[in-house]
Amino acid sequence: MSARLRQARFSRGGAWAVGLALLPLLALGALWVAGFHINMTASLPYGLYREVDVPVQRGVLVLACLPQGPLSELARQRGYLSPGHCPARLAPLIKPVVAVTGDQVAFADAAVQVNGVALANSAALPHDPSGHSMPRPFPRLQRLAEGQVLLVSSYNPGSFDGRYFGVLEGSTVVSVVVPVLTWHRRGMP
């Protein structure tokens, strides 16, 4: 077999290998364009979530981008969020909305309280699993202004959410999402 023929066969085989390797990325891109998002963080059940056209209100799950600045830089440095398409070049968070405009929130080490009611699994941990000290919201007691939201996940007591970074402006919310196909990680409800 000539060297030219061997090279041509290798080139076709290499092209197929590259094409097959890119197939999962293309599939993920198609899901994203269609409004689907994959959650592989421990804040919520793993799985597939879909964007829906409903208003942001207490109790819904939202996709939100951390604002650019110290908070997003901390998330990047500590690996809390993977790279993504948000303005801070991080992946969006998927979190439940626990407080909206007019709600009073209190950030205590024992639990986050909304309108005087303590949220389950919302105690602020002093350190993350790597031993880094965790930030605390300030002010510790506040009433949410127009358009503000508080995102806290009761699913995982170690979730990086509002118990550490506080209230976010509603403009950080990308969309409301609902679970499509999810599964629980070991040791979670």
Side-chain angles (χ1 to χ4, degrees):
M1 181 182 312
S2 74
R4 186 175 239 169
L5 185 56
R6 280 194 304 271
Q7 185 177 4
R9 283 187 179 171
F10 176 76
S11 295
R12 277 186 281 152
W16 274 101
V18 169
L20 288 175
L22 290 176
L23 195 57
L25 293 175
L26 293 172
L28 287 174
L31 283 172
W32 182 74
V33 168
F36 288 90
H37 300 272
I38 296 174
N39 177 53
M40 294 305 289
T41 70
S43 293
L44 291 171
Y46 294 147
L48 189 62
Y49 292 77
R50 179 178 51 89
E51 291 182 26
V52 293
D53 188 19
V54 298
V56 174
Q57 57 192 351
R58 193 180 309 109
V60 300
L61 294 174
V62 295
L63 212 60
C65 291
L66 290 180
Q68 287 182 295
L71 178 61
S72 58
E73 194 53 38
L74 177 112
R76 179 187 337 281
Q77 289 173 354
R78 295 187 182 179
Y80 297 154
L81 294 172
S82 58
H85 63 275
C86 286
R89 296 188 189 143
L90 292 171
L93 303 159
I94 300 178
K95 304 285 182 190
V97 175
V98 297
V100 294
T101 302
D103 287 336
Q104 183 170 317
V105 297
F107 298 99
D109 290 340
V112 174
Q113 294 180 10
V114 176
N115 299 323
V117 177
L119 303 177
N121 282 334
S122 67
L125 302 176
H127 300 93
D128 70 7
S130 301
H132 296 104
S133 64
M134 296 301 289
R136 293 291 188 270
F138 187 81
R140 306 267 290 168
L141 177 65
Q142 66 188 90
R143 187 165 301 279
L144 274 64
E146 182 69 33
Q148 292 182 321
V149 294
L150 177 63
L151 311 177
V152 177
S153 175
S154 64
Y155 182 75
N156 181 346
S159 177
F160 181 63
D161 56 29
R163 74 189 87 196
Y164 302 111
F165 53 74
V167 173
L168 294 175
E169 295 302 320
S171 60
T172 63
V173 173
V174 175
S175 63
V176 175
V177 295
V178 295
V180 174
L181 176 65
T182 62
W183 60 95
H184 298 284
R185 70 183 196 120
R186 185 173 289 174
M188 299 306 285

